Amino acid sequence: MHPPQHLGQTFAALGDPTRMAIVSRLAAQGDMTVQEIAAPFAMSLPAVSQHLKVLERAGLIARGRDGQRRPCSLRPERLAEATRWLDHTREAWNARFDRLERFLATLETKNDDQDP
Amino acid sequence: MHPPQHLGQTFAALGDPTRMAIVSRLAAQGDMTVQEIAAPFAMSLPAVSQHLKVLERAGLIARGRDGQRRPCSLRPERLAEATRWLDHTREAWNARFDRLERFLATLETKNDDQDP
């Protein structure tokens, strides 16, 4: 499978515990303002905004235009793409093992045939 | 879901097109030496080795000790963990939509009751 160009960016954006926590909370609790997102973190608003910019550039969140609020919402499409790539990679891995197993079974049958 | 400590490291390691390609090929083709991994890339061996170190630190690959060969193999456990976190996050998102839908259905029923 040829992965979409931006999939590396999605994984890179998720490659940080704070950004993973933000994505989890937006998924479970719905749209939030930057202030609401920042509340549980011992982190400045600009630091949180920086993380949100990385998530937005990676297409994992969108910023609304609700006056001054600009709520953040999760865009689950990119999560789905990441899951598809991981599933495909694990399926390739499993298929290789299945082929190996069948091959070994064939050898065993041949050995049985040759037994006196 | 509290993600495993190292999951951010897994996503960060996958957040690069070369490393994603290496993981894909190890999944589909099985163990390879550094030379075999490097072959399709327009990249020096040390540059490829650097990527392999990132993947190894993240627990995504293991290096064997087959004499001088030191073949690399994929460790699919970390891919499975990443999938579980993504699945869980998307389920939380979907569950929130289902709750919203049920709530809206309740409002509609109430409105119907009040209709003359």
Side-chain angles (χ1 to χ4, degrees):
Chain A
M1 188 174 82
H2 227 67
Q5 279 289 322
H6 53 251
L7 195 48
Q9 206 180 7
T10 303
F11 283 129
L14 291 175
D16 175 277
T18 302
R19 291 197 292 269
M20 283 179 65
I22 292 172
V23 167
S24 278
R25 285 174 61 223
L26 288 174
Q29 296 171 41
D31 295 5
M32 288 185 199
T33 62
V34 181
Q35 285 76 11
E36 287 165 340
I37 290 171
F41 297 114
M43 209 179 269
S44 69
L45 269 187
V48 170
S49 289
Q50 205 50 50
H51 281 306
L52 294 177
K53 265 183 204 146
V54 175
L55 291 171
E56 192 177 10
R57 271 201 297 270
L60 281 163
I61 67 166
R63 309 288 298 270
R65 291 261 171 216
D66 182 5
Q68 288 297 305
R69 284 185 73 247
R70 304 210 58 209
C72 296
S73 52
L74 184 69
R75 290 178 56 192
E77 302 87 358
R78 292 290 163 92
L79 295 180
E81 273 180 10
T83 304
R84 274 196 295 275
W85 185 84
L86 287 167
D87 283 346
H88 180 87
T89 305
R90 286 166 59 217
E91 275 160 26
W93 168 269
N94 290 332
R96 214 167 42 75
F97 264 94
D98 290 348
R99 280 197 303 275
L100 187 65
E101 213 163 4
R102 277 198 302 275
F103 174 69
L104 292 176
T106 318
L107 288 188
E108 218 160 90
T109 314
K110 277 187 190 156
N111 276 343
D112 286 351
D113 289 350
Q114 287 166 7
D115 278 350
Chain B
M1 185 175 82
H2 226 66
Q5 279 288 323
H6 52 252
L7 193 49
Q9 206 181 7
T10 304
F11 283 129
L14 292 174
D16 175 277
T18 302
R19 291 197 293 269
M20 282 177 66
I22 292 172
V23 167
S24 279
R25 284 175 60 224
L26 287 174
Q29 296 170 41
D31 296 6
M32 288 185 198
T33 62
V34 181
Q35 284 76 9
E36 287 165 341
I37 290 170
F41 298 113
M43 209 178 270
S44 69
L45 269 188
V48 170
S49 287
Q50 204 52 49
H51 282 306
L52 294 176
K53 267 184 202 146
V54 175
L55 291 171
E56 192 178 10
R57 271 200 298 270
L60 281 162
I61 67 166
R63 309 288 297 271
R65 292 257 171 221
D66 182 5
Q68 288 297 306
R69 284 186 73 246
R70 302 210 60 211
C72 297
S73 53
L74 184 68
R75 290 178 56 192
E77 302 87 357
R78 292 291 163 89
L79 296 180
E81 273 180 12
T83 305
R84 273 196 295 276
W85 185 84
L86 287 166
D87 283 345
H88 180 88
T89 306
R90 286 167 59 217
E91 275 161 24
W93 168 269
N94 290 333
R96 214 166 44 75
F97 264 95
D98 291 346
R99 281 196 301 275
L100 188 65
E101 212 163 7
R102 278 200 300 275
F103 174 69
L104 292 176
T106 319
L107 289 186
E108 217 160 272
T109 314
K110 276 186 189 157
N111 275 343
D112 286 350
D113 290 350
Q114 286 165 8
D115 277 350

